[in-house]
Amino acid sequence: ASGKGVMLFARTLLSNIHEKYLKEPKSLDNNSSEASHSKEEVKEREAKVVLIPANTSSSQFISHLDINTRNDVPAIIIEPEIDTMVKAFANEWGNYGDALRAAFQNETVGLSRKKDKEFIYINKPKLALAISGTMNQVKKLIPNAEDGLYTRFLVCKLNPDTLWRDAFCNDCLNLTEYFEKLAPEFLQFYEFISKKEREVRLTELQSRKLNTFFEKRLFEIGEEGNYNAAGIVKRHGLMLYKICMVLSAFRIYQDKLDIEIIECKDADFE
C-alpha cells in the first residue's frame, strides 16, 4: 500500500541479464568426470546469479559474489521488504553485513572454513543493493548511525501517495508489461557498456563544485562535533560520482558513442 513494491520493476528490467547468465552452459568436458575436476574448476561452472536473494546465508552470498566477480558478472540485491534481510542477519549463518560494507568500496572480501577446506578471496568485488521499508524496519537493520552500514546507503525518505487510483482503468499504463518490454533493450545496453573498459571523467568545473560542496558539509559537521557523520559525507561524495557514471553510461548508449573516455555532461552532473 505504501508503494515500495514498485522496486520490483527494477528486477523486471534486469530479468533478461539475469536469465542470460543462468542459461549459460555449465556442462563438463565429455572426456572427464565430476570427480576429476578440481574444486576451482567446479566453482567456475556454478550458476552466475545476477539477482541475488536477500534471504541467503553469509557463505552463499560470498560464494555468489566470488563467482560473479571472477566472471565479470554484475551482482545485485533488490529487496522491497527490509525484514527479509533483517531476518537473515539475525542468524549467525546469515549476517553478511561485513561483506556489504567491504563491497561498497570494492574492498577485499574473504572467507575461510575448516569444513570442506573452503577458501574464498574476492579482489575488488562489485555489488549493487536497493532495499526499502519503513523507518522502524530500517532501524532493525541499522540500529544506529555509528553502524558502518549506514554510511554506505543513499537514504531516500518518500511519503506515500494519498491519491486513489482506479484499478479497473482500461486505458491506464500497465507497468508490468511496460518494464517487460524494456528488459530486452536494457540487456542490449548492458552488453554495449560492458564490452570494454570505460572511464567517466568530471570537468574541472564539476570537480570543483563537488569538492566545494562536500568540503563545506564536512566542515559543518566538524563544527557541530558530530564526527560520526563524517563517513556519511565522504561516502555521499563517492555516491554522487557513481550516479554521474551511471547517467553518463546511459547517455553514450543513447547517443551511440562507443568511446572509452566519457566526459560527464552538466545536465547529468547537476
Side-chain angles (χ1 to χ4, degrees), residues 25-90:
K26 299 181 286 294
S27 59
L28 289 169
D29 192 314
N30 292 332
N31 299 320
S32 58
S33 63
E34 180 81 24
S36 67
H37 282 66
S38 68
K39 188 173 183 179
E40 188 67 22
E41 290 173 321
V42 172
K43 185 179 290 186
E44 288 288 349
R45 296 194 324 278
E46 291 180 339
K48 303 173 186 72
V49 181
V50 173
L51 294 171
I52 302 173
N55 184 12
T56 185
S57 68
S58 175
S59 61
Q60 185 62 47
F61 170 76
I62 292 175
S63 177
H64 284 314
L65 196 59
D66 176 40
I67 294 167
N68 288 17
T69 300
R70 283 187 289 104
N71 291 280
D72 199 23
V73 174
I76 304 167
I77 296 177
I78 299 174
E79 181 51 64
E81 294 294 344
I82 287 182
D83 279 351
T84 301
M85 185 172 286
V86 170
K87 289 177 181 177
F89 278 28

Side-chain angles (χ1 to χ4, degrees), residues 5 10 23 33 42 71 85 131 168 180 186 194 211 235 246:
K23 290 178 180 178
S33 63
V42 172
N71 291 280
M85 185 172 286
I131 55 177
F168 307 100
E180 285 176 349
F186 203 79
S194 61
N211 288 329
R235 290 196 170 104
V246 172

Side-chain angles (χ1 to χ4, degrees), residues 173-235:
L173 177 65
N174 186 317
L175 289 176
T176 300
E177 293 180 356
Y178 176 76
F179 282 100
E180 285 176 349
K181 291 178 180 178
L182 279 181
E185 183 178 357
F186 203 79
L187 172 60
Q188 292 177 14
F189 160 72
Y190 166 74
E191 291 175 338
F192 166 82
I193 207 67
S194 61
K195 67 183 180 181
K196 64 175 68 173
E197 291 287 334
R198 304 180 194 272
E199 179 184 347
V200 176
R201 295 178 180 176
L202 301 183
T203 64
E204 185 177 342
L205 179 59
Q206 291 167 354
S207 299
R208 192 160 58 246
K209 282 184 176 182
L210 187 151
N211 288 329
T212 300
F213 179 85
F214 286 100
E215 183 180 28
K216 180 181 178 182
R217 295 296 176 270
L218 201 58
F219 176 79
E220 291 171 350
I221 284 173
E223 287 287 288
E224 296 170 359
N226 189 12
Y227 300 109
N228 289 324
I232 300 174
V233 174
K234 293 176 181 178
R235 290 196 170 104

Side-chain angles (χ1 to χ4, degrees), residues 104 106 126 189 192-194 196-203 206 210 236-254 259-265 267-270:
F104 174 83
N106 311 116
K126 300 178 183 67
F189 160 72
F192 166 82
I193 207 67
S194 61
K196 64 175 68 173
E197 291 287 334
R198 304 180 194 272
E199 179 184 347
V200 176
R201 295 178 180 176
L202 301 183
T203 64
Q206 291 167 354
L210 187 151
H236 272 60
L238 177 57
M239 291 177 198
L240 189 150
Y241 178 55
K242 287 183 176 181
I243 292 172
C244 289
M245 291 169 62
V246 172
L247 295 178
S248 297
F250 278 120
R251 187 169 294 279
I252 67 164
Y253 173 72
Q254 183 183 48
I259 54 179
E260 297 178 14
I261 305 299
I262 310 166
E263 184 176 285
C264 182
K265 301 292 185 183
D268 298 328
F269 179 81
E270 298 294 343

Side-chain angles (χ1 to χ4, degrees), residues 97-159:
D98 57 336
L100 293 182
R101 288 190 288 271
F104 174 83
Q105 304 229 196
N106 311 116
E107 296 171 348
T108 301
V109 175
L111 179 147
S112 183
R113 296 284 187 270
K114 184 175 182 180
K115 184 180 180 181
D116 298 328
K117 296 181 180 180
E118 184 179 18
F119 175 76
I120 296 175
Y121 186 89
I122 312 172
N123 188 32
K124 296 182 180 179
K126 300 178 183 67
L127 174 72
L129 170 63
I131 55 177
S132 66
T134 65
M135 288 306 298
N136 286 335
Q137 290 173 325
V138 172
K139 290 176 182 177
K140 291 178 183 178
L141 181 67
I142 309 172
N144 52 67
E146 286 75 26
D147 188 304
L149 195 58
Y150 183 79
T151 66
R152 289 158 171 84
F153 278 107
L154 184 61
V155 180
C156 300
K157 185 178 179 181
L158 305 174
N159 294 321

